[in-house]
Amino acid sequence: MGQTPSHEAAHASKAELTAHLADKFARRCYEPLELYSFKDNFRSLADHEGDVRYLKEDTVARFLEVPDILGVSPVIFQMVSFIGAFPFLQDAPVILSFEQMIMVVAIMTERYTKVLAKSATNRRKLLFKSMAVYDRKLSEIKSQVPASDVDSSQRDPRSHALGFAVDQAGDDDDAAEDDDELVLAALDALDINDAFKTGDSHAATTHGAMIPADNFRRLIMLLLLVSPLNPQESLSAYADRVTGSALNSLRATAENVLSAFIDVERSPGITFAQFIEVLPTNFPYLFDGFNPLFEHFLFSKNLDFSKHKSSIVTPASTTLALPPLLQEKGQILNLDILSQLSFFINGNDLFRRLRLLYSGADAGYSMGSFESKVFNWRAPTILLVSGTRLEDAESRRGSEGVFYDSLPPQRFPNGSGPDRDRLVFGVLIRQPWRVTNRECFGTDDTLLFQLSPTHDVFPASTMNKNYAAFTKPPATHPGISFGSPPPPTTSSSRHAPLRNLGPVSLTLDSSFEFGVFNHDNTSRGGAFSTSVSRKYDFQERFSIDDIEVWGCGGDEEAKIQRERWEWEAREAEARRRVNLGTGDIAADRALLEMAGLIGSNRSGGSMG
């Protein structure tokens, strides 16, 4: 393909410029063996019409092994047909020929950064455009009518036809702010003059565009499925996650994720403003699963590495079997929740690395058993708690009444509709647990989050350091809390003070029966930031169903914890033998004398 001199770039055709950019991507983004494999795959997959060789929708879906039952193949093909037009996005959709697929794979695997080093650090805007459609009528309704005034029965998220964000959108008031940095960086790499850029860079606008809710729901289900995927690992290995009850679980988890962007009962789709605001905090790793999925194009099954004994590359058929994604089964954590966690916690810390340290269902719902199981882990931990929302009632009795009486009288409304009353909250703590006296523990990388029925992440702020507290008696309200100051010691007055709930906080009582999540959006100064999507006050009071703590770490962390447990077991046995006797009175007396407990002027009591 060669180099295109700067003075010739302005006069080159789009086809020539596309070929030049594809050549740059091919040379700089791929290793020689990867490029050879890509060519072999394309040659074996492509259909042809005349001299044009191209990939069809079903070919792409079949090669990537996208499950038919998800119905996501049209969404994926829309995305790649749009991205294949890069950097001339106004020409989308395009035929997926060899040069277009070179750029698709480079962008979907984030290898483009080797060429466009000065571009934006992410591809979020381009991905939004590749999924979006433009519907003037729906856009005007959404911008003019408050969501609360719109009858959800009149909204059908599937009512608009499949299309692209590059459809004519009328006047774009945001054009000055709609420059796509990836596009501009690509044009800079091609030495295209400013006049050429002005004519093309604004064609694929985000103004008035939205991603249909149903399309995005299907894509989320695929992203949950591919999130743990390794390069060269077949997606068919996870076929059992899209059948029967597992498929229902996958769909329910996707619904929780989707609700972080919009209320599907009131909105037909996701605008760019919603997309770009929610993504960085709640889903920084949402699209990471595309990387290994599209890297399948860079490994050819037709290559026989057994003929090259000196090669360091191992074919997929001979790779060692990987350990399971989740080595132990929990009451709360399953593969779908694990994938959901990987959308905001790096998957390298999660998949095949979590160990169940504490389960209330197995070890008992008490702070004592919690402490004995969790406190020896010297690596990050993830606490998960599930519960059922408590219904409002005029009077309450027993332990529920005691819990309610300890809460401040101010009561915010629930955070979600009454038809979704199963709640799941969690916390990522990177410091070892300890008993709290006057100061909380945790660091500014602690994460408080909600997984169900709405996905939400509340990063630690720097306003104060009340990140985590494990409080035992004589505190007025012992228990576990996140985002609230430690409770004071027992008051001398007859009435204990009310719980001091932080602006954004999660509190579990010491009996592990009840919990409360508080989100005071109007307050400032909390240990955790408020929600980026739910900008209002809400509070969830719930009865606890299950509590789990999972340790993040490998064999070394597990070994340290096991040795600590064994040491404590030996110490406990030694104390028991001293207290109860071994049956050998002389030996026990000698041991106690050595410890200075009896003999001389001391009396050890009767040993008989």
Side-chain angles (χ1 to χ4, degrees):
M1 298 180 185
Q3 301 292 325
T4 301
S6 301
H7 66 278
E8 297 179 2
H11 304 287
S13 67
K14 289 182 179 179
E16 292 171 332
L17 293 171
T18 298
H20 180 50
L21 183 60
D23 177 60
K24 277 193 172 186
F25 278 175
R27 288 185 289 105
R28 299 185 187 180
C29 299
Y30 307 115
E31 298 296 329
L33 185 59
E34 291 175 333
L35 186 58
Y36 179 87
S37 295
F38 180 87
K39 292 178 179 178
D40 183 69
N41 280 327
F42 185 86
R43 188 164 45 245
S44 62
L45 294 172
D47 287 86
H48 62 88
E49 186 172 332
D51 296 333
V52 179
R53 301 181 67 87
Y54 62 95
L55 299 186
K56 298 190 299 184
E57 177 182 325
D58 60 338
T59 303
V60 173
R62 187 175 65 253
F63 179 76
L64 297 178
E65 300 180 313
V66 176
D68 292 338
I69 197 169
L70 298 183
V72 72
S73 296
V75 181
I76 294 296
F77 194 71
Q78 173 183 334
M79 295 179 70
V80 297
S81 298
F82 180 91
I83 294 174
F86 186 82
F88 305 109
L89 301 179
Q90 74 281 0
D91 295 335
V94 295
I95 295 173
L96 295 178
S97 61
F98 179 81
E99 291 170 341
Q100 280 67 38
M101 285 304 299
I102 281 284
M103 291 186 286
V104 166
V105 174
I107 290 172
M108 296 301 272
T109 60
E110 295 187 283
R111 292 169 179 245
Y112 67 86
T113 55
K114 297 179 181 180
V115 173
L116 309 180
K118 296 181 181 180
S119 66
T121 57
N122 60 67
R123 57 198 165 155
R124 293 169 185 160
K125 193 168 190 176
L126 184 61
L127 290 177
F128 174 87
K129 291 179 178 180
S130 72
M131 292 181 279
V133 301
Y134 182 82
D135 191 316
R136 181 188 299 274
K137 183 177 181 180
L138 290 175
S139 177
E140 290 175 352
I141 291 175
K142 184 173 179 62
S143 61
Q144 296 176 8
V145 181
S148 59
D149 296 338
V150 178
D151 182 0
S152 62
S153 63
Q154 299 176 358
R155 295 293 189 91
D156 183 357
R158 291 169 291 184
S159 63
H160 37 281
L162 189 65
F164 292 90
V166 296
D167 294 340
Q168 293 300 319
D171 296 334
D172 188 355
D173 296 334
D174 298 333
E177 301 177 0
D178 203 53
D179 290 338
D180 190 315
E181 293 186 17
L182 285 182
V183 171
L184 296 181
L187 298 179
D188 282 337
L190 294 172
D191 294 327
I192 294 178
N193 61 30
D194 292 336
F196 200 115
K197 297 177 188 178
T198 303
D200 289 331
S201 64
H202 300 310
T205 178
T206 60
H207 183 68
M210 63 176 60
I211 305 173
D214 192 51
N215 286 2
F216 201 52
R217 181 187 294 107
R218 297 175 186 179
L219 186 68
I220 291 170
M221 292 177 69
L222 177 65
L223 292 171
L224 288 167
L225 194 63
V226 303
S227 59
L229 200 66
N230 287 321
Q232 302 181 17
E233 185 181 12
S234 173
L235 188 56
S236 61
Y238 304 120
D240 58 341
R241 294 183 60 185
V242 292
T243 59
S245 60
L247 178 61
N248 293 332
S249 174
L250 184 69
R251 185 176 290 110
T253 304
E255 200 67 40
N256 295 336
V257 172
L258 179 62
S259 65
F261 294 92
I262 55 169
D263 181 346
V264 293
E265 297 296 326
R266 295 177 175 175
S267 176
I270 303 163
T271 66
F272 181 69
Q274 294 166 327
F275 185 82
I276 209 65
E277 183 175 28
V278 171
L279 216 61
T281 300
N282 283 331
F283 307 103
Y285 307 117
L286 178 65
F287 298 109
D288 280 14
F290 279 149
N291 295 34
L293 182 65
F294 279 85
E295 281 187 1
H296 283 66
F297 282 102
L298 306 180
F299 179 81
S300 174
K301 296 180 180 179
N302 296 327
L303 299 182
D304 185 1
F305 294 101
S306 62
K307 296 179 181 179
H308 306 278
K309 296 182 179 180
S310 61
S311 175
I312 61 173
V313 181
T314 305
S317 59
T318 61
T319 54
L320 297 176
L322 295 170
L325 296 174
L326 196 58
Q327 299 183 27
E328 301 170 81
K329 183 179 179 181
Q331 298 294 321
I332 305 175
L333 187 63
N334 57 28
L335 293 181
D336 298 325
I337 296 295
L338 183 65
S339 295
Q340 184 180 357
L341 289 173
S342 74
F343 287 168
F344 61 95
I345 302 174
N346 195 306
N348 294 329
D349 297 329
L350 298 175
F351 298 117
R352 302 180 175 89
R353 289 184 61 82
L354 292 187
R355 299 172 185 271
L356 183 58
L357 304 180
Y358 167 79
S359 169
D362 296 332
Y365 297 95
S366 71
M367 293 186 67
S369 58
F370 184 103
E371 181 178 355
S372 66
K373 296 290 186 180
V374 176
F375 277 41
N376 293 323
W377 188 258
R378 315 313 293 175
T381 53
I382 297 174
L383 177 144
L384 299 175
V385 54
S386 65
T388 304
R389 181 183 291 126
L390 293 171
E391 299 294 336
D392 291 331
E394 294 182 1
S395 61
R396 299 178 184 275
R397 299 178 180 179
S399 56
E400 184 177 338
V402 173
F403 176 70
Y404 260 73
D405 290 342
S406 71
L407 300 177
Q410 184 183 27
R411 175 73 163 95
F412 295 141
N414 297 330
S416 56
D419 57 328
R420 308 183 71 190
D421 59 359
R422 183 179 184 271
L423 310 169
V424 178
F425 295 95
V427 184
L428 168 65
I429 301 176
R430 300 188 182 275
Q431 274 191 331
W433 285 72
R434 62 177 175 82
V435 175
T436 303
N437 293 317
R438 295 183 178 180
E439 294 182 353
C440 294
F441 64 96
T443 53
D444 58 7
D445 54 3
T446 304
L447 284 179
L448 176 62
F449 53 87
Q450 182 177 357
L451 300 179
S452 177
T454 298
H455 179 109
D456 219 335
V457 177
F458 313 93
S461 71
T462 56
M463 296 297 182
N464 66 59
K465 297 184 178 181
N466 295 327
Y467 300 125
F470 185 93
T471 312
K472 301 167 71 173
T476 53
H477 299 293
I480 301 177
S481 64
F482 308 95
S484 300
T489 57
T490 303
S491 173
S492 59
S493 65
R494 296 178 57 186
H495 300 285
L498 299 176
R499 295 180 186 270
N500 187 1
L501 301 181
V504 179
S505 59
L506 174 66
T507 302
L508 312 178
D509 71 347
S510 59
S511 64
F512 291 172
E513 287 187 89
F514 304 103
V516 56
F517 179 83
N518 192 58
H519 183 266
D520 187 347
N521 187 67
T522 58
S523 295
R524 295 294 182 267
F528 295 97
S529 302
T530 55
S531 171
V532 297
S533 58
R534 293 183 286 178
K535 298 181 179 181
Y536 51 85
D537 300 337
F538 65 90
Q539 188 179 93
E540 300 285 12
R541 301 180 181 185
F542 56 95
S543 60
I544 296 174
D545 297 330
D546 289 294
I547 301 179
E548 294 173 358
V549 178
W550 294 79
C552 307
D555 295 336
E556 184 63 28
E557 289 83 358
K559 178 182 177 182
I560 294 173
Q561 186 204 40
R562 184 170 58 253
E563 291 175 348
R564 180 68 181 179
W565 277 347
E566 292 172 352
W567 179 84
E568 289 186 348
R570 290 194 299 269
E571 288 295 302
E573 177 64 15
R575 290 192 297 270
R576 186 190 69 82
R577 290 167 63 88
V578 169
N579 292 334
L580 300 180
T582 65
D584 187 339
I585 297 178
D588 286 340
R589 181 173 292 279
L591 180 62
L592 294 173
E593 285 179 349
M594 292 176 60
L597 299 178
I598 64 173
S600 301
N601 297 325
R602 295 180 180 270
S603 173
S606 173
M607 295 291 291

